[in-house]
Amino acid sequence: MPLECPETPPAPARPHRVVALVAPNQELYPVTSASAVFGWHGPDIPQHYSFRLCAENPGSLTTTLGVPIQVESGLDAIDDADTVVIAGWTFGTPPAVLDAVSRAHARGARIVAVAAGIFIPAALGLLDGRRASVHWELSGELAARHPRVIPDGTVIYVDHGDVATAGASAATLDLCLHQVLQEHGAAHAMRVGRQLAAGPH
């Protein structure tokens, strides 16, 4: 009688790769908020995400806090990202950045834009005819530059699935927890949120 060999257990799925695109004079709050949600939460909570930073010109980047951050990865990190978090920005996005984000979206990556980061998906036409959460200080500039975007200052975030926007840096935590809830359910999102003294909507 032949021996029955146990089936080989399936290999664990790779983590969902989250890459935060940062720039010189970076505000740290949206970066640390995204890292807090998508980072490590201890051995008792399943690790569904990996998180890293990238920049057009990696190295030491200035921040609004006055201390630099060290960014090891360039724009090629976006090439295999599942989610690209655009953690704020300044006007005048370089073509290389627009190309990297456009390629990521075209192959199915999720684009999450926070505060002035909205100008990148807007410049790519990804928000044409769509609602977007916009900070009140940016609504006039957005309307002038991208009149086809429908600004909504009454909500803290808007999620279209492929593209999501958060109007202010403080809404980064809410939007990232919302993504966890959508992908892994309320129970897991609550476990992550509990670590941060926050909860998904």
Side-chain angles (χ1 to χ4, degrees):
M1 182 176 180
L3 295 174
E4 292 185 3
C5 297
E7 293 184 6
T8 303
R14 67 165 178 78
H16 180 111
R17 292 178 287 235
V18 179
V19 175
L21 174 61
V22 295
N25 205 33
Q26 177 68 48
E27 182 186 358
L28 289 179
Y29 189 81
V31 178
T32 56
S33 293
S35 174
V37 173
F38 296 123
W40 191 69
H41 297 283
D44 296 329
I45 298 180
Q47 185 66 38
H48 294 299
Y49 300 91
S50 66
F51 183 84
R52 66 194 292 201
L53 303 178
C54 82
E56 182 185 20
N57 299 303
S60 181
L61 267 66
T62 57
T63 70
T64 58
L65 190 60
V67 294
I69 55 174
Q70 188 68 27
V71 180
E72 303 295 338
S73 301
L75 294 178
D76 56 335
I78 294 177
D79 291 341
D80 63 356
D82 300 302
T83 293
V84 179
V85 178
I86 305 170
W89 204 258
T90 55
F91 301 127
T93 307
V97 172
L98 291 174
D99 288 345
V101 174
S102 179
R103 288 196 310 271
H105 180 265
R107 62 171 175 76
R110 173 181 171 86
I111 309 301
V112 174
V114 177
I118 191 176
F119 286 91
I120 292 181
L124 294 171
L126 304 182
L127 293 171
D128 285 358
R130 303 169 108 178
R131 287 171 59 243
S133 177
V134 181
H135 194 284
W136 63 271
E137 289 185 329
L138 301 174
S139 57
E141 186 72 24
L142 182 71
R145 290 172 177 260
H146 307 289
R148 297 189 64 186
V149 180
I150 304 170
D152 191 340
T154 67
V155 292
I156 59 174
Y157 61 78
V158 174
D159 182 12
H160 294 289
D162 62 321
V163 181
T165 54
S169 296
T172 308
L173 204 62
D174 299 295
L175 179 51
C176 292
L177 281 172
H178 167 75
Q179 177 171 342
V180 174
L181 185 151
Q182 295 297 311
E183 294 174 347
H184 298 287
H188 182 71
M190 285 300 295
R191 290 183 74 188
V192 173
R194 212 180 268 167
Q195 300 291 96
L196 311 174
H201 288 188

